[in-house]
Amino acid sequence: QVHLVESGGGSVQRGGSLRLSCQANGYSWGSFCAGWFRQTSGKEREGVGTIDRDGRTTYAESVQGRFTISHDADKNTLYLQMNNVKVEDTAMYYCASDQRTLGYCRGGLKSSAFEHMGQGTQVTVYS
């Protein structure tokens, strides 16, 4: 059973940067399609971006050019680098993984395309 744990959330000023991390218990991120999602109270969960086993990434239009997803094989860690953050980026952020497609991302930014999701880490952007 894959267990995902996010870290790195916190408060950051508008225009600043923050890096979120996610670890999977004993599994290699290179074998997953991985993704980041976010959700604010009263809204549906929104896909932020995905990365496949070959490092190919896709991003939501709202974060394109500001956020970067990567994974470090040595540290077995998935990252979300958030730059030039906006107040509207405030949300609970979740990492997600799926092995059913052998590491390739077929389902886009839909949370239903992912088998496993972590408990989340809160990001608050203040002005």
Side-chain angles (χ1 to χ4, degrees), residues 29-103:
W29 284 106
S31 64
F32 295 151
C33 165
W36 286 95
F37 291 81
R38 65 186 182 185
Q39 188 171 23
T40 55
S41 179
K43 292 188 177 181
E44 290 189 4
R45 193 163 292 181
E46 172 192 21
V48 174
T50 65
I51 184 169
D52 72 11
R53 58 184 293 172
D54 295 331
R56 287 183 293 242
T57 53
T58 61
Y59 298 97
E61 189 174 330
S62 58
V63 306
Q64 182 76 45
R66 300 188 298 118
F67 290 10
T68 302
I69 298 174
S70 62
H71 44 62
D72 184 326
D74 291 338
K75 296 182 180 179
N76 203 26
T77 304
L78 176 73
Y79 298 105
L80 177 66
Q81 178 67 44
M82 306 168 63
N83 295 330
N84 190 24
V85 294
K86 303 177 180 180
V87 172
E88 51 263 42
D89 293 325
T90 295
M92 184 73 79
Y93 282 74
Y94 303 86
C95 62
S97 69
D98 190 86
Q99 290 179 295
R100 295 170 295 182
T101 52
L102 304 180

